[in-house]
Amino acid sequence: IAAFFGVNAYLLSREYFEMAAGRFRPMPQAAALRRAHRGTVLGAGAVLAGMMAVPILNLLTPLFGIALMVHLH
C-alpha cells in the first residue's frame, strides 16, 4: 500500500506540475523548477494520490490536480 501511494504521488505530481508549468515556461525549465521544489510538489502529489483512492472523489482529481499545480507554479 505504501508503494502504491508513493509511486502514484511521484507520478501524479510530476505529470500535473510539468503540464501546468509547461504552459508558461519551456519544458526543461519546468522540469528544473519541479526538481527545485520537489518536496512541495511531491506533497501535492500525495494529496492527489489520496484523492484517487476515494471512489467518487477520484472523478474530480484531474480538475483539482491541475488547479493545485497551477497554484503551486
Side-chain angles (χ1 to χ4, degrees):
I1 292 174
F4 170 78
F5 282 111
V7 170
N8 278 323
Y10 172 74
L11 292 174
L12 288 169
S13 66
R14 181 179 178 144
E15 175 184 354
Y16 281 112
F17 186 81
E18 287 187 4
M19 183 177 9
R23 297 265 307 151
F24 303 103
R25 303 175 188 273
M27 288 309 288
Q29 190 178 9
L33 186 63
R34 179 185 54 81
R35 283 190 300 271
H37 300 284
R38 75 174 55 133
T40 305
V41 174
L42 186 62
V47 169
L48 295 176
M51 286 178 67
M52 293 290 281
V54 179
I56 299 299
L57 193 57
N58 66 0
L59 298 174
L60 297 175
T61 301
L63 180 65
F64 180 75
I66 197 66
L68 177 63
M69 294 303 178
V70 167
H71 176 73
L72 286 179
H73 174 255

